[in-house]
Amino acid sequence: MSADQITITPSSPHVGAEIGNIDLTRPLSDEQRRDVHAAFLKYGVIFFRDQAISFEDQMRLAGYFGHVHIHVGGAGTASKPAEGFPAIRLQHFDASSKRISGEVWHSDQSCADIPPTGSILIQKVLPPDGGGDTLFASAYAAYDALSTQMKAFLDPLTAEHDGAKLFDKGTPTVYPQAVHPVVVTHPETGRKLLFVNAGFTTRIVELARDESDAVLNFLFAHIAKPHWQMRFRWRENSVAFWDNRCTQHFAIWDYWPNVRSGYRVQFEGEARPVR
Ligand code: SIN
């Protein structure tokens, strides 16, 4: 085993793995970059513990995998840009919070024509009595579990994703909207997955409204089944790094009025999701 070889401990059968023997406060070697990227593709979300990273470290990590992304949510989002680092979002929630980011199953900003590929979130302050866990689901496993007939029905369909569904809390901002295939092929793994989510997806374009509502409600409930999800319990300086192209996540707000505070950066996708 070389000094740079990471360790990988899967978190569940379908999604997630914890990565060890790595220090994210230092530049990564080529071997570490390659192995971290391979684990990101294989597990959909990877976790690192005890990483006291700075904003620069977080930006450097994201930069290994793509161009850092500026959030498209505008004034209606619950997170705010970090001072001096517009690509880093402060996700701070406390007794005065009216809502938090991500308390619904979603992949980040699927309302964008080209959604961000990856998100990297670190928690710096956690509630004293536990809580504030994040659920992650595999959109591959959810797709794989559908019947052949349901896959054939969904395959040619497209769905509208609207930022206003998640972000609009009475602010006058115009939010992004996009239409993506309901079933997408991951550009790097070649696997098929379900690409609709309760946070942003508003309708299936080819169906009548009541048909669309029924199919989407079925798919939202299907993706939320526990069979292809895992629950991540944060500690101070834990980092989660997820692939928005094949996972969805849900942040649990069970800690009010306590504080949970962290920082997220994202890197850009290279192309629109395709069938
Ligand atoms: C998010 O949706 O980006 C937030 C996830 C979390 O806070 O756990």
Side-chain angles (χ1 to χ4, degrees):
M1 172 168 163
S2 83
D4 282 351
Q5 194 166 340
I6 60 172
T7 61
I8 301 177
T9 309
S11 311
S12 79
H14 297 294
V15 64
E18 207 159 307
I19 307 298
N21 195 37
I22 193 164
D23 178 356
L24 300 179
T25 65
R26 295 166 180 274
L28 301 187
S29 67
D30 290 348
E31 178 184 347
Q32 288 171 322
R33 285 160 65 162
R34 188 196 61 221
D35 291 351
V36 166
H37 186 240
F40 167 75
L41 291 181
K42 180 166 179 186
Y43 296 99
V45 51
I46 51 179
F47 306 103
F48 306 85
R49 297 289 191 186
D50 304 317
Q51 304 286 338
I53 55 173
S54 63
F55 291 157
E56 287 85 356
D57 297 331
Q58 197 171 357
M59 296 280 288
R60 183 180 61 243
L61 180 63
Y64 289 140
F65 304 103
H67 295 293
V68 292
H69 167 97
I70 305 284
H71 189 269
V72 296
T77 58
S79 64
K80 301 282 165 259
E83 182 111 28
F85 288 82
I88 292 189
R89 306 286 299 185
L90 168 63
Q91 297 194 330
H92 175 96
F93 308 107
D94 58 23
S96 70
S97 299
K98 302 280 181 280
R99 62 197 178 94
I100 65 159
S101 294
E103 202 191 9
V104 60
W105 282 106
H106 68 290
S107 57
D108 289 335
Q109 298 167 57
S110 67
C111 56
D113 280 335
I114 302 180
T117 290
S119 304
I120 301 173
L121 175 63
I122 180 163
Q123 295 300 342
K124 291 289 186 185
V125 180
L126 286 158
D129 304 323
D133 295 351
T134 306
L135 305 175
F136 291 91
S138 167
Y140 293 133
Y143 175 77
D144 290 345
L146 294 171
S147 65
T148 308
Q149 287 81 354
M150 181 56 86
K151 286 177 182 158
F153 170 69
L154 296 174
D155 259 341
L157 302 179
T158 59
E160 182 183 83
H161 298 240
D162 188 346
K165 186 176 180 194
L166 191 69
F167 298 139
D168 184 10
K169 304 295 165 202
T171 47
T173 314
V174 176
Y175 293 96
Q177 282 186 347
V179 171
H180 301 303
V182 170
V183 176
V184 158
T185 301
H186 192 285
E188 294 188 85
T189 67
R191 289 183 68 186
K192 285 191 165 191
L193 60 113
L194 274 178
F195 198 69
V196 292
N197 66 79
F200 290 110
T201 312
T202 47
R203 69 186 178 102
I204 296 181
V205 175
E206 295 79 7
L207 301 184
R209 173 53 79 176
D210 54 349
E211 295 169 343
S212 167
D213 288 348
V215 172
L216 283 179
N217 285 336
F218 162 72
L219 291 175
F220 296 159
H222 180 72
I223 288 164
K225 282 183 184 166
H227 305 72
W228 28 83
Q229 65 177 247
M230 58 150 299
R231 182 173 182 135
F232 184 61
R233 190 146 294 159
W234 296 90
R235 300 197 297 256
E236 187 185 306
N237 289 324
S238 295
V239 174
F241 174 8
W242 62 86
D243 186 343
N244 287 301
R245 301 167 298 180
C246 61
T247 62
Q248 296 187 21
H249 55 284
F250 184 117
I252 303 172
W253 194 19
D254 55 358
Y255 51 87
W256 188 91
N258 290 314
V259 175
R260 178 189 191 255
S261 194
Y263 297 97
R264 189 186 73 185
V265 69
Q266 297 177 313
F267 57 93
E268 288 176 0
E270 284 171 9
R272 300 179 68 115
V274 293
R275 207 168 267 135

